[in-house]
Amino acid sequence: LFVGGTLERDKSDPNCSNKRFLKSTVFSKFDSINKVDNTVVFDVGPTGHSGTFRLQESQEVSSISQFRLLNFSKSTKEYTIELKVPQCSRSSCSITTISGSEYYLTLGSSCWRIQLWNKGTMEQGDSECSEAGFVSSGAVKSVLSSLNPAENTATFTGRINGTFEFDEDSTVNAPTAVVIDSDGPDFFVKVVLPS
């Protein structure tokens, strides 16, 4: 469920009991996430399949392990799948409490420094991804334009436009970034901070 992600099948393991996943078929490629109706859209892959996953929060599951095929058209190869996920709780991490902070995030093969204050910048680095080791490449890519407390997001505009959404997780020990959507110079990145 991220940019570059795929829907794949392992024909050798119909019960998903093996410790290792052996890819045999790629059906679809990740396209986007619709946060309004909790759906994940997959575009046509090598087999011609495309479709939508509907994420259904449930107290009955502790991991993403249950799914149900709601609809499948053989002629168009389009599917709709309901995926049960553990019930989400709103993070205690608030954009208002972390504003004024600076983060070093690895995105792809580059390190980026983002500054969450008035006229804070987003810059690409050429070195180690930490405060002590960061060396700016010298070009400011974007400037912080707004913070949205309702959505826990920070939006940057400039040569690259996009939004960072912040969350907390006790299982991470350093800020982690995942590109959710990227279209040319525009991006949407989820940042998970240690709780």
Side-chain angles (χ1 to χ4, degrees):
L1 303 183
F2 51 83
V3 172
T6 56
L7 171 62
E8 302 174 0
R9 174 175 68 171
D10 178 355
K11 285 171 47 173
S12 70
D13 186 20
N15 298 318
C16 291
S17 55
N18 293 345
K19 291 183 179 178
R20 206 171 123 205
F21 183 85
L22 300 173
K23 176 175 71 175
S24 57
T25 309
V26 174
F27 286 96
S28 308
K29 299 176 182 178
F30 173 88
D31 179 65
S32 61
I33 292 177
N34 185 330
K35 292 170 62 177
V36 175
D37 60 6
N38 254 10
T39 58
V40 182
V41 179
F42 279 79
D43 204 358
V44 176
T47 63
H49 293 81
S50 64
T52 303
F53 281 84
R54 292 183 186 166
L55 305 183
Q56 179 69 46
E57 291 183 33
S58 173
Q59 293 180 332
E60 301 168 7
V61 297
S62 58
S63 64
I64 301 174
S65 57
Q66 295 183 24
F67 72 93
R68 184 167 57 116
L69 182 63
L70 299 177
N71 186 34
F72 178 70
S73 167
K74 286 185 179 181
S75 61
T76 63
K77 296 186 177 181
E78 291 180 7
Y79 55 82
T80 304
I81 296 173
E82 180 182 80
L83 192 63
K84 280 196 176 178
V85 298
Q87 192 162 29
C88 301
S89 59
R90 186 65 180 160
S91 166
S92 59
C93 167
S94 163
I95 195 69
T96 53
T97 59
I98 62 173
S99 65
S101 301
E102 184 173 71
Y103 293 100
Y104 298 84
L105 307 169
T106 300
L107 293 167
S109 59
S110 301
C111 179
W112 294 82
R113 177 176 63 193
I114 60 168
Q115 300 170 330
L116 300 178
W117 57 73
N118 186 36
K119 297 185 181 175
T121 61
M122 184 174 106
E123 297 178 59
Q124 188 174 8
D126 293 328
S127 55
E128 180 187 333
C129 210
S130 68
E131 183 177 5
F134 184 83
V135 176
S136 174
S137 60
V140 172
K141 302 292 185 183
S142 307
V143 175
L144 179 68
S145 62
S146 66
L147 298 176
N148 184 334
E151 295 287 328
N152 250 13
T153 58
T155 299
F156 285 77
T157 56
R159 291 170 52 196
I160 299 175
N161 301 309
T163 300
F164 292 92
E165 179 183 61
F166 292 86
D167 205 347
E168 270 185 343
D169 190 327
S170 60
T171 64
V172 300
N173 54 19
T176 305
V178 177
V179 177
I180 302 297
D181 198 5
S182 178
D183 183 15
D186 300 331
F187 66 85
F188 185 88
V189 171
K190 174 105 172 177
V191 179
V192 181
L193 304 174
S195 58

